[in-house]
C-alpha cells in the first residue's frame, strides 16, 4: 500500500493486482448466499421476465442458478428490482456493484471513510455551535445588540450557501478527494483567524469564509470503468478480493455506451453541473404520483427544519443567558448547560440507527415521532426561566432531533433531489437569523415559538410520506 497518494490520479483496475477473482471461484459473503438460496427456493415462473430467463430454476438446474453464476446473480438482481419498478441498465448495474461491495464486507476502507466523513459532518455541526457560543462574547467585545449580533450567524450561512454551490462544481474539476480536503483546510485556517478578528464586521467576514469551507465538506456524494476500479480499490484496501468486472456488468446490464475520452473544459464541466438542475433531471423526481408527493414533502421538511433548527440551536446560549429578565444567568451556568445538552444529544443518533430498522416504525416513524417530540419540547422550553428546568428540555430536545430522507430519490437523480433539498435547507437557514433578529425585538420568545411551529409543520408533512425505505437497499 503506497504511503503517498496522488490526489489527481484516477484509479484503474491495473493498480490493484491480485484483487480480481472470477465469480465462479469466489467465496461470496454468507449473508449474500443465504439470501440467494432463500430467493431461489421461493421462485416461480411469475418472478421472471421470460424474455430474460428461459425458465425459473428447478431441482435440475441448481448449479446454473447458484450464487456463483451470472444466471444466479441476474436472478437475484431481477428479484430485488421487481418490487421497485426500476429496471434500467443503471439500476441493474448499481445492484451488481452493491452486491460486490456486500461480498467484500466491512473493512478498513469503510471504517476510515466513516471516520473521515464523520469529521466532515462534525466540522459542519461544530461551527454552527461555535458561532452560537461566540454571540454573547461578540456583544460584550464589539457592542452590537443582543438581537443584531445574530447577523453573525447570517454571515456564516451565506458562506455555507456559497461553499455548497462552489465545491460541488470544483470537485469535478480538481477531484473529490482534493476538494474535500481543501474544504477542511479552509475551515481550519479561517477558523483560527476568527479568533483574531478586531471588529464585528471583520469577524463576520471571517465566519463567512469558514462557511465557504464547511459548506463544501458535506456536498460530495462514475463512469463504469471508474466504478469497477473503485470497488477493486476497496477490496485492495480491505485485503480482500472481488468478482466485479466490466464483463459482469455488461452481462447483466448491457454494454456501456462509449463516451468521449477527451478532457472536458471547465466551461463544459460547469455546464454539466448546472444541467443537474434542468427540467430533464428534475422531471424523474415526479415520475409517479407517489414519488412526486414524496419529493415535495422532503423538500418541505428540509426547508422547515432548515429554518427551525438554527432558530433554536444557533441562539441557544443567548436564550439560556437571557431567560431571566431580572438577572442574566451566569456564563458558567450557560456554558455548563450547553455542554450537557450537546453530550445528551449524542445517543439520539445511536437510538435512531436502531429504531429505523424496527418493524412498524422504520425511517418514516422514527423521523416523524422524533420531530413531533422535538417541536413539543421546544415550546416547553419557554414555560419557565429556571435554568434547571430549561436544561431538562434542551437535553430532551437535543436527543430527539433527527432527520433521514435522501435515499428515497432514484439514484441517477438523487444528486439533483438532494441538492435541491440541501439548497432549500441552506436558504431557510440563511433566513433564520433575519427572522430571529426582527421577531426577537418584539418578543424574545418569538423565534422559539416559530421554531416549534416549524418542527410541528414538518411532523405533519412526514406523516404523509408515501415511501418507507426500511429493509430496502439503496441504488
Amino acid at each position: 500500500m503506497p504511503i503517498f497518494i496522488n490526489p489527481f490520479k484516477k484509479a484503474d483496475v491495473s493498480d490493484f493486482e491480485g484483487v480480481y477473482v472470477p465469480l465462479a471461484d469466489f467465496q461470496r459473503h454468507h449473508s449474500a448466499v443465504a439470501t440467494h438460496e432463500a430467493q431461489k427456493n421461493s421462485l416461480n415462473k411469475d418472478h421472471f421476465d421470460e424474455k430474460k430467463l428461459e425458465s425459473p430454476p428447478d431441482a435440475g438446474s441448481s448449479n446454473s442458478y447458484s450464487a456463483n453464476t451470472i444466471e444466479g446473480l441476474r436472478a437475484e438482481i431481477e428479484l430485488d428490482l421487481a418490487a421497485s419498478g426500476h429496471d434500467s441498465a443503471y439500476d441493474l448495474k448499481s445492484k451488481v456493484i452493491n452486491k460486490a461491495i456486500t461480498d467484500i464486507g466491512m473493512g478498513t476502507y469503510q471504517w476510515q471513510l466513516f471516520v473521515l466523513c464523520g469529521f466532515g459532518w462534525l466540522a459542519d455541526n461544530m461551527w454552527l455551535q461555535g458561532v452560537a457560543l461566540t454571540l454573547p462574547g461578540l456583544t460584550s467585545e464589539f457592542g452590537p445588540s443582543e438581537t443584531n449580533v445574530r447577523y453573525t450567524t447570517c454571515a456564516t450561512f451565506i458562506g455555507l450557501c456559497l461553499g455548497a454551490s462552489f465545491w460541488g462544481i470544483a470537485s469535478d474539476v480538481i477531484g473529490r478527494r482534493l476538494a474535500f480536503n481543501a474544504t477542511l483546510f479552509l475551515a481550519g485556517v479561517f477558523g483560527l483567524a476568527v479568533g483574531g478578528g478586531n471588529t464585528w464586521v471583520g469577524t463576520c467576514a471571517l465566519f463567512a469564509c469558514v462557511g465557504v469551507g464547511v459548506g463544501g465538506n458535506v456536498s460530495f456524494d462514475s463512469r463504469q470503468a471508474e466504478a469497477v476500479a473503485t470497488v477493486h480499490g476497496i477490496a485492495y484496501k480491505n485485503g480482500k478480493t472481488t468478482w466485479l468486472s466490466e464483463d459482469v456488468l455488461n452481462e447483466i446490464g448491457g454494454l456501456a455506451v462509449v463516451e468521449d475520452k477527451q478532457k472536458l473544459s471547465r466551461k463544459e464541466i460547469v455546464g454539466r453541473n448546472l444541467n443537474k438542475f434542468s427540467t430533464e433531471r428534475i422531471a424523474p423526481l415526479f415520475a409517479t404520483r407517489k414519488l412526486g408527493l414524496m419529493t415535495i414533502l422532503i423538500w418541505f421538511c428540509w426547508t422547515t427544519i432548515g429554518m427551525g433548527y438554527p432558530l433554536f440551536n444557533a441562539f441557544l446560549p443567548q436564550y439560556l443567558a437571557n431567560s431571566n429578565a431580572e438577572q442574566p444567568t451566569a456564563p458558567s451556568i450557560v456554558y455548563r448547560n450547553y455542554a450537557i445538552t450537546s453530550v445528551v444529544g449524542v445517543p439520539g443518533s445511536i437510538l435512531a440507527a436502531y429504531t429505523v430498522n424496527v418493524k412498524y416504525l422504520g425511517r418514516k416513524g422514527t423521523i416523524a415521532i422524533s420531530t413531533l417530540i422535538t417541536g413539543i419540547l421546544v415550546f416547553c422550553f419557554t414555560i419557565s426561566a429556571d435554568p434547571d428546568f430549561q436544561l431538562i428540555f434542551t437535553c430532551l430536545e437535543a436527543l430527539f432531533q433527527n432527520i433521514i430522507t435522501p435515499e428515497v430519490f432514484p439514484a441517477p437523480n438523487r444528486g439533483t433531489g438532494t441538492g435541491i433539498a440541501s439548497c432549500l435547507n441552506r436558504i431557510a437557514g440563511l433566513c433564520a437569523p433575519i427572522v430571529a433578529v426582527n421577531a426577537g425585538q418584539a418578543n424574545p420568545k418569538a423565534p422559539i415559538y416559530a421554531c416549534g411551529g416549524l418542527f410541528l409543520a414538518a411532523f405533519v408533512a412526514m406523516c404523509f410520506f408515501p415511501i418507507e425505505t426500511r429493509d430496502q437497499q439503496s441504488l
Side-chain angles (χ1 to χ4, degrees):
M1 177 66 64
I3 298 177
F4 299 102
I5 300 175
N6 180 0
F8 297 97
K9 183 179 182 298
K10 290 185 177 181
D12 186 85
V13 291
S14 61
D15 298 330
F16 312 107
E17 295 183 2
V19 166
Y20 174 72
V21 173
L23 179 59
D25 301 326
F26 188 86
Q27 183 175 353
R28 298 192 63 189
H29 195 273
H30 61 86
S31 63
V33 175
T35 301
H36 176 88
E37 292 302 318
Q39 289 177 332
K40 187 173 72 172
N41 292 335
S42 64
L43 289 179
N44 57 55
K45 292 184 179 181
D46 294 332
H47 279 124
F48 288 95
D49 181 347
E50 294 180 357
K51 296 180 179 178
K52 294 181 178 178
L53 295 177
E54 294 179 359
S55 62
D58 53 33
S61 60
S62 58
N63 291 332
S64 298
Y65 286 90
S66 75
N68 288 78
T69 64
I70 292 293
E71 292 80 6
L73 185 62
R74 182 184 290 116
E76 285 182 45
I77 293 168
E78 288 179 353
L79 274 177
D80 287 345
L81 293 177
S84 68
H86 301 292
D87 60 354
S88 67
Y90 182 94
D91 298 316
L92 292 167
K93 293 182 179 182
S94 293
K95 276 292 183 182
V96 174
I97 293 172
N98 282 346
K99 288 184 179 295
I101 294 175
T102 298
D103 283 337
I104 293 172
M106 189 75 175
T108 303
Y109 176 86
Q110 285 87 350
W111 285 115
Q112 290 183 350
L113 188 64
F114 168 78
V115 172
L116 175 64
C117 293
F119 273 106
W121 285 98
L122 173 67
D124 181 71
N125 189 63
M126 182 187 69
W127 274 111
L128 181 60
Q129 313 308 321
V131 175
L133 289 168
T134 62
L135 296 184
L138 290 174
T139 296
S140 299
E141 185 169 353
F142 300 122
S145 67
E146 292 178 353
T147 51
N148 286 339
V149 76
R150 294 172 181 174
Y151 283 118
T152 307
T153 307
C154 187
T156 306
F157 270 94
I158 290 175
L160 290 171
C161 293
L162 293 175
S165 302
F166 171 77
W167 290 109
I169 297 175
S171 63
D172 284 336
V173 178
I174 64 176
R176 282 162 173 74
R177 183 191 295 121
L178 184 59
F180 181 83
N181 289 330
T183 62
L184 296 178
F185 176 76
L186 287 176
V189 169
F190 284 104
L192 291 173
V194 163
N198 55 12
T199 65
W200 177 50
V201 174
T203 302
C204 288
L206 290 172
F207 270 125
C209 293
V210 171
V212 171
V214 173
N217 65 38
V218 294
S219 64
F220 307 119
D221 314 306
S222 58
R223 291 181 179 88
Q224 178 168 300
E226 294 173 359
V228 174
T230 298
V231 175
H232 280 228
I234 294 173
Y236 184 80
K237 182 72 174 180
N238 289 356
K240 301 291 183 65
T241 57
T242 180
W243 47 262
L244 185 67
S245 68
E246 288 195 71
D247 289 337
V248 172
L249 287 176
N250 292 335
E251 280 279 345
I252 294 177
L255 293 174
V257 178
V258 179
E259 298 189 20
D260 187 3
K261 297 291 184 179
Q262 293 182 347
K263 185 177 180 179
L264 297 175
S265 67
R266 288 181 173 82
K267 182 178 180 180
E268 290 173 319
I269 291 174
V270 172
R272 288 195 175 192
N273 275 276
L274 294 177
N275 186 57
K276 293 178 181 178
F277 298 95
S278 66
T279 54
E280 289 80 7
R281 298 300 297 273
I282 296 175
L285 300 177
F286 299 88
T288 65
R289 183 176 180 179
K290 179 184 291 188
L291 184 57
L293 175 61
M294 191 69 179
T295 298
I296 292 173
L297 292 176
I298 287 177
W299 289 349
F300 176 79
C301 291
W302 277 56
T303 303
T304 53
I305 292 179
M307 179 176 287
Y309 180 87
L311 272 176
F312 185 77
N313 293 277
F315 311 115
L316 182 55
Q318 285 189 318
Y319 300 147
L320 294 173
N322 303 316
S323 58
N324 191 336
E326 298 179 359
Q327 182 179 2
T329 305
S332 60
I333 301 297
V334 171
Y335 292 123
R336 183 206 67 180
N337 290 355
Y338 193 82
I340 293 173
T341 298
S342 300
V343 171
V344 172
V346 174
S349 298
I350 300 174
L351 177 64
Y354 169 75
T355 58
V356 293
N357 292 313
V358 173
K359 192 175 182 180
Y360 303 122
L361 189 61
R363 286 158 171 78
K364 177 180 174 180
T366 296
I367 60 175
I369 293 173
S370 63
T371 303
L372 171 63
I373 296 175
T374 298
I376 294 173
L377 292 172
V378 167
F379 280 110
C380 291
F381 175 85
T382 64
I383 295 175
S384 173
D386 179 63
D388 294 332
F389 177 90
Q390 292 183 336
L391 175 61
I392 293 173
F393 285 98
T394 55
C395 287
L396 291 173
E397 186 271 343
L399 182 67
F400 285 102
Q401 54 187 15
N402 297 288
I403 184 167
I404 309 167
T405 52
E407 66 183 9
V408 299
F409 292 128
N413 306 95
R414 188 174 299 139
T416 300
T418 307
I420 293 176
S422 179
C423 179
L424 293 171
N425 182 274
R426 296 299 194 189
I427 292 173
L430 176 62
C431 295
I434 301 174
V435 173
V437 170
N438 293 280
Q441 291 174 344
N443 182 351
K445 295 182 179 179
I448 304 178
Y449 294 143
C451 169
L454 288 166
F455 272 104
L456 293 181
F459 159 72
V460 174
M462 291 171 184
C463 290
F464 291 97
F465 277 2
I467 299 176
E468 169 58 65
T469 58
R470 183 178 67 87
D471 292 335
Q472 295 184 23
Q473 190 178 46
S474 181
L475 287 180

